[in-house]
């Protein structure tokens, strides 16, 4: 296996006691390493992700495009892409592939956090599975989002053409086939993700 293949299929994990790297230190670490995609687990573990494959990047862009287009018309919130990090109530720092946060929720923290990661959880997120992701680990990540205050989270697996819809009630609904659309329901009124554009 080449070095490139190793980088594409592995997340580098650094065990770091929280007392050594607090929120300010973590933000500075990310600032000093802008070319890296970095997250932090609730245990304080630093996670360094490799770049995505180009097809995954294309799909990520499509997710953000559809969500941003809806939000541009709706103007009820903000949309972030995979570089937008959030400090969640469990102290983890995560950056979903696409996220929407209402103006009301974001306004609670914007002034205080505009020069760092905001201490807030978006109401809605989308995560796209890559070939190196397992359903078990991806599902745990979605559950973490819900437990931290996300109202609805979508996990999309392009390989199997399945969408797993997680809701705050703890329910998981599965949509099969990219010939369908996924509704934003009452969280994102009138938003429909057209899955065939991910092909």
């Amino acid at each position: 296996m080449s070095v490139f293949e190793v980088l594409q299929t592995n997340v580098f994990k650094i065990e770091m006691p929280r007392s050594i790297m607090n929120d300010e230190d973590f933000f500075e670490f990310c600032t000093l390493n802008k070319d890296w995609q970095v997250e932090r687990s609730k245990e304080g573990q630093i996670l360094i992700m490799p770049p995505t494959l180009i097809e995954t990047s294309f799909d990520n862009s499509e997710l953000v495009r559809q969500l941003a287009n809806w939000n541009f018309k709706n103007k009820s919130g903000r949309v972030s892409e995979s570089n937008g990090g959030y400090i969640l109530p469990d102290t983890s720092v995560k950056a979903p592939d696409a996220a929407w946060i209402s103006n009301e929720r974001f306004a609670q923290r914007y002034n205080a956090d505009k020069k760092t990661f905001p201490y807030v959880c978006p109401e809605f997120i989308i995560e796209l599975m890559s070939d190196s992701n397992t359903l078990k680990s991806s599902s745990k990540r979605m559950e973490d989002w819900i437990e931290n205050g996300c109202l609805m989270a979508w996990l999309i697996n392009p390989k199997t053409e399945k969408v797993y819809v997680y809701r705050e009630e703890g329910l998981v609904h599965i949509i099969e086939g990219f010939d369908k659309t996924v509704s934003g329901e009452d969280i994102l009124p009138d938003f429909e993700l057209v899955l065939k554009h991910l092909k």
Side-chain angles (χ1 to χ4, degrees), residues 1-13 47-51 130 132-133:
M1 181 178 287
S2 68
V3 172
F4 180 74
E5 288 172 321
V6 171
L7 290 173
Q8 287 291 346
T9 57
N10 288 277
V11 173
F12 293 91
K13 300 178 182 180
L47 310 173
I48 301 173
M49 274 72 71
S130 67
S132 61
N133 298 140

Side-chain angles (χ1 to χ4, degrees), residues 1 8 14 18 34 59 84 86 99 119 122 125-126 134 153 164:
M1 181 178 287
Q8 287 291 346
I14 303 173
R18 192 171 302 284
K34 295 186 179 197
D59 286 343
Y86 298 88
Y119 289 82
I125 68 99
I126 307 174
T134 66
Y164 302 82

Side-chain angles (χ1 to χ4, degrees), residues 19-198:
S19 59
I20 294 177
M21 189 179 287
N22 58 26
D23 292 345
E24 292 76 20
D25 295 330
F26 178 75
F27 179 73
E28 183 177 358
F29 177 78
C30 293
T31 301
L32 293 172
N33 298 282
K34 295 186 179 197
D35 294 334
W36 297 355
Q37 185 175 8
V38 185
E39 293 186 340
R40 183 181 70 196
S41 71
K42 62 184 178 182
E43 294 81 18
Q45 190 178 58
I46 305 304
L47 310 173
I48 301 173
M49 274 72 71
T52 62
L53 295 174
I54 195 64
E55 290 294 336
T56 301
S57 180
F58 290 158
D59 286 343
N60 283 345
S61 296
E62 178 59 26
L63 295 175
V64 174
R65 182 194 70 79
Q66 291 193 43
L67 185 59
N69 284 350
W70 169 85
N71 188 65
F72 182 77
K73 296 177 182 177
N74 190 278
K75 300 189 186 307
S76 60
R78 300 289 189 92
V79 173
S80 64
E81 35 74 84
S82 59
N83 289 308
Y86 298 88
I87 301 178
L88 304 180
D90 68 0
T91 72
S92 65
V93 181
K94 295 185 186 299
D97 292 326
W100 177 84
I101 184 168
S102 67
N103 291 326
E104 294 76 18
R105 185 177 285 199
F106 190 61
Q108 298 171 8
R109 298 301 312 188
Y110 178 68
N111 288 333
D113 301 332
K114 61 183 177 181
K115 293 184 178 180
T116 183
F117 302 117
Y119 289 82
V120 66
C121 182
E123 284 102 322
F124 171 75
I125 68 99
I126 307 174
E127 297 274 19
L128 191 66
M129 287 183 66
S130 67
D131 289 342
S132 61
N133 298 140
T134 66
L135 182 57
K136 182 178 180 180
S137 63
S138 298
S139 297
K140 178 62 171 67
R141 183 176 172 88
M142 306 307 281
E143 291 165 2
D144 288 344
W145 278 111
I146 296 298
E147 290 172 4
N148 276 281
C150 185
L151 303 181
M152 184 165 63
W154 296 349
L155 175 63
I156 301 177
N157 188 337
K159 191 172 184 179
T160 62
E161 296 195 1
K162 289 184 179 180
V163 180
Y164 302 82
V165 179
Y166 294 74
R167 297 182 180 85
E168 61 176 335
E169 302 87 2
L171 302 174
V172 181
H173 176 64
I174 301 175
I175 298 170
E176 298 191 48
F178 274 15
D179 57 334
K180 300 180 176 65
T181 62
V182 189
S183 170
E185 303 175 9
D186 58 340
I187 308 299
L188 306 175
D190 301 321
F191 176 58
E192 295 282 339
L193 182 69
V194 181
L195 294 169
K196 68 180 180 180
H197 293 323
L198 298 179

